[in-house]
Amino acid sequence: SYAKYRRIKLAALRKQITHKPERAEALLTSAGFRPALDATAGGTPEYLEWGPIVPNEDTALRPSLEAALGTLVLIGRIKDRAKVSGNRSLNDNLQTEIGMQDLLRLEFGCDMIVEPSGGAAGSSHKVSSQNQFMVTQTFLQEQRPALMPLLNESFRFLQVGVREKKVIQLLLKNLNDRRGENEKLQHSLPLERLAQLMAGSVLVGLRKESLVQAAATAEAETSGTVVAAVEDGPSQDEVVAEPDLEPPTEEAVGNATAEVEAGDAAMAEAAAIEEAAAAATPSSPSNRSKLPVTVEDVVLPSLIDCLPVVRLGLPYKGAKAIIYLREFPSYFTSSVNEKQFQVSVSEVASRLCDVIQEGIPKDARVVGFGCAIDISLDDKAIVFGISL
């Protein structure tokens, strides 16, 4: 579809827009389209083309993408002015200065970031033919099939209830209260929608680790990495008893030191041989980078890259926190209109703020939070935040 829509034939455009078609051409040019010469037309532009031929080349894509996003900001301002002040106000001058904050707040007219599967288990989210999505089911099945089992289980959390909304609102307020005046975070609806799906995915992943393992393994096979195995080590709480022995003599210490030095030399030689062997076989699994088996590392990079503003090269950060039923029972079980719920949700938001703020950089400007709860199956809730 990218190859199809990145190119517009000027003759067809002028045929469709008979009244001052040059205005339409100027608008498209401001959105990043450029005249393209046809070799058979004697040097006369026959097409308008947008972006590089291969969309994955982010460096080549950036100039066109910046122009397109800037045009979307201006279109949004025009729509807002007409809605608030009427069509006659459109004759007034329009503010054309565009900052990064304006780009980060774009919603792109989409109802959801990811299109839910019609067969998602337990999903109550109604999808009509009028809904718009940034990431469609077709794209996921073609480009990220390994994620589908995990995502299909997570779509049921796309519906956000009052309980979840309340804690998210208080969390954002608490974060901004702790940040400086010039460090306040703005709410981003696209990031919130993606964070909601991530919160559900993390909750499902904790319950069904096999889904995360399968997705991570499939992604590793295509990227040349290997899934890091989880190994049980000694607990930090374990205390090792000191042996009850007499102090060693000076002669014994000298002999032990010589043995250690000889052993260190042998180990260094063996390590050098092993390193040389690994360098000679770069495709060996032991020489590949290890892939952590977490939902954030498997799902988030695959989906957030579909947000156009992220393709500009902006760094993003994900952060999560867990709320346990045993710690805040009133938050999970009380009616949202009861006093004990109001007290509990304030305590939950404060605890979340202590955890989440560590994962949000000081230079972040926009953020979106999601919260997934299902006490019928889990004794916990997941809050996930994404910041840019």
Side-chain angles (χ1 to χ4, degrees):
S1 60
Y2 175 81
K4 177 181 178 181
Y5 292 109
R6 68 174 290 269
R7 199 171 189 188
I8 298 175
K9 193 170 185 178
L10 284 170
L13 178 65
R14 292 162 184 166
K15 184 177 180 180
Q16 291 291 327
I17 304 176
T18 57
H19 181 66
K20 296 184 177 180
E22 64 275 6
R23 293 186 176 180
E25 295 175 26
L27 179 60
L28 290 170
T29 300
S30 68
F33 283 85
R34 295 292 179 264
L37 298 179
D38 192 335
T40 62
T44 303
E46 288 290 312
Y47 294 90
L48 291 176
E49 290 184 345
W50 188 92
I53 296 176
V54 181
N56 291 330
E57 298 176 357
D58 286 354
T59 303
L61 178 67
R62 180 162 184 160
S64 298
L65 187 57
E66 286 179 340
L69 295 177
T71 302
L72 286 176
V73 171
L74 295 179
I75 292 174
R77 290 177 182 175
I78 293 172
K79 291 175 63 177
D80 291 341
R81 176 180 289 186
K83 182 178 180 180
V84 174
S85 304
N87 291 339
R88 290 187 177 182
S89 64
L90 299 181
N91 293 325
D92 299 335
N93 292 331
L94 183 68
Q95 173 63 34
T96 57
E97 292 184 3
I98 300 173
M100 188 58 67
Q101 288 278 34
D102 299 307
L103 301 183
L104 294 173
R105 285 195 293 264
L106 282 172
E107 298 180 9
F108 306 102
C110 294
D111 301 280
M112 286 176 281
I113 299 297
V114 182
E115 179 183 8
S117 170
S123 175
S124 60
H125 198 99
K126 297 181 179 179
V127 180
S128 71
S129 59
Q130 303 299 320
N131 290 132
Q132 299 294 322
F133 312 99
M134 282 188 152
V135 183
T136 64
Q137 280 286 310
T138 302
F139 174 85
L140 287 174
Q141 291 168 0
E142 292 177 353
Q143 303 295 327
R144 292 291 186 271
L147 298 181
M148 293 307 298
L150 177 60
L151 291 179
N152 284 339
E153 294 277 349
S154 308
F155 288 138
R156 62 196 301 267
F157 295 101
L158 291 178
Q159 291 281 51
V160 183
V162 176
R163 198 177 306 272
E164 295 94 319
K165 289 180 180 178
K166 185 66 176 177
V167 75
I168 288 173
Q169 292 170 355
L170 286 177
L171 173 58
L172 180 57
K173 179 180 181 300
N174 288 351
L175 282 171
N176 280 332
D177 288 344
R178 299 186 186 186
R179 293 170 72 96
E181 190 62 33
N182 297 325
E183 299 175 343
K184 302 297 184 184
L185 294 166
Q186 298 291 326
H187 169 259
S188 169
L189 187 57
L191 290 182
E192 178 187 296
R193 289 166 173 164
L194 183 54
Q196 183 61 34
L197 180 59
M198 285 301 305
S201 299
V202 172
L203 190 60
V204 172
L206 292 175
R207 188 193 315 146
K208 299 183 177 181
E209 295 182 4
S210 60
L211 295 180
V212 183
Q213 183 79 20
T217 302
E219 290 290 317
E221 291 176 353
T222 60
S223 61
T225 56
V226 292
V227 176
V230 178
E231 299 180 357
D232 294 331
S235 172
Q236 294 180 352
D237 297 330
E238 294 178 356
V239 179
V240 180
E242 296 183 359
D244 186 14
L245 300 174
E246 292 294 330
T249 63
E250 293 184 3
E251 181 180 357
V253 171
N255 293 336
T257 301
E259 292 177 1
V260 170
E261 291 176 350
D264 287 346
M267 292 178 63
E269 182 178 357
I273 295 174
E274 183 179 350
E275 183 178 350
T281 56
S283 60
S284 171
S286 63
N287 198 41
R288 299 175 189 168
S289 58
K290 298 291 185 178
L291 179 68
V293 187
T294 64
V295 173
E296 305 94 284
D297 294 313
V298 176
V299 179
L300 184 56
S302 299
L303 297 183
I304 198 170
D305 197 46
C306 296
L307 289 176
V309 70
V310 175
R311 301 295 293 272
L312 293 176
L314 296 179
Y316 66 88
K317 190 78 177 289
K320 70 177 179 183
I322 303 178
I323 315 168
Y324 288 99
L325 173 62
R326 63 178 180 271
E327 293 181 305
F328 303 99
S330 296
Y331 171 74
F332 287 88
T333 60
S334 298
S335 169
V336 294
N337 296 319
E338 293 181 6
K339 177 68 176 179
Q340 56 196 38
F341 171 78
Q342 303 297 333
V343 173
S344 183
V345 74
S346 297
E347 295 175 350
V348 170
S350 179
R351 174 77 65 84
L352 288 172
C353 190
D354 295 338
V355 178
I356 292 289
Q357 69 176 351
E358 300 298 328
I360 299 180
K362 286 290 185 181
D363 57 351
R365 290 295 173 262
V366 295
V367 70
F369 290 109
C371 179
I373 301 175
D374 186 2
I375 60 173
S376 63
L377 295 175
D378 300 284
D379 63 344
K380 64 183 74 68
I382 299 296
V383 173
F384 199 94
I386 305 174
S387 59
L388 285 173

